[in-house]
Amino acid sequence: MAARTVRTARLDLVPLDVAHAEEMAGVLDDPALHAFIGGAPLSPAALRARYERLAAGSPDPATVWANWVVRLRSDGRLTGTVQATVTEGGRVAEVAWVIGTGWQGRGIAREAAGGLVGLLVEHGARTIVAHVHPDHAASAAVAAAAGLAPTDRVEDGEVRWERHDRPPPPPGVPQILLSERG
């Protein structure tokens, strides 16, 4: 899954590579971008080291780290990242997205997160989780557009959002449709 490029209407989600660090350092260099996600902009060298760790994969064999850069096809530029931490044999995925401030407000995060969630569901994820700062209205809108709903759980100061999909029935098993009768 992580080695696959995902295409949406305007974007390519390209598997993260250490070679993306230089361009991504410029995309993520606005200190205001880190108001809700914490930390500070990383230098190209520090981001390269981070991408090397991510590319090496999770030290836990039961956990898959999947990371993509978001490329806007119209100009070929990188605009941000999406990521998923996949557990429980692929059934649960925790997702996150970051779009550089210069590209915000164009629906890029919404489209990228939707593409990521679609890929995860296609590969068997049944529970998708995101954590959104309670004051980050734009990120909450992205989570909602991706089909997630806020829960009453707050973890590390962020609201836990979830989406649950039921697995399809096995082949040959009829679906029972329930309807309201008046």
Side-chain angles (χ1 to χ4, degrees), residues 3-181:
R4 174 179 160 196
T5 296
V6 178
R7 291 179 62 91
T8 66
R10 300 176 297 155
L11 309 171
D12 288 331
L13 309 182
V14 180
L16 180 77
D17 188 276
V18 174
H20 294 128
E22 187 79 30
E23 186 175 355
M24 285 304 301
V27 170
L28 304 174
D29 70 349
D30 184 355
L33 180 63
H34 300 268
F36 293 111
I37 62 174
L42 296 176
S43 68
L47 197 56
R48 191 171 16 270
R50 175 177 166 78
Y51 286 0
E52 286 172 355
R53 287 190 304 277
L54 291 173
S58 170
D60 178 355
T63 300
V64 174
W65 291 345
N67 296 274
W68 293 264
V69 291
V70 178
R71 184 178 306 280
L72 185 61
R73 277 196 305 279
S74 65
D75 65 11
R77 295 182 65 193
L78 299 181
T79 63
T81 63
V82 292
Q83 63 188 47
T85 300
V86 183
T87 58
E88 296 187 32
R91 291 183 307 280
V92 176
E94 186 164 333
V95 298
W97 48 86
V98 177
I99 301 298
T101 53
W103 293 272
Q104 292 179 3
R106 301 184 201 180
I108 293 172
R110 181 180 302 229
E111 187 174 329
L116 173 60
V117 168
L119 174 72
L120 293 166
V121 169
E122 175 187 318
H123 280 86
R126 296 294 168 233
T127 301
I128 310 291
V129 175
H131 292 88
V132 177
H133 190 283
D135 297 329
H136 200 327
S139 198
V142 170
L148 284 76
T151 68
D152 59 358
R153 292 176 57 188
V154 176
E155 299 171 357
D156 295 326
E158 295 183 319
V159 176
R160 181 180 170 105
W161 288 64
E162 295 180 354
R163 170 183 169 155
H164 299 279
D165 290 76
R166 294 169 39 123
V173 175
Q175 292 188 20
I176 299 172
L177 300 176
L178 301 176
S179 63
E180 289 186 34
R181 296 181 186 212

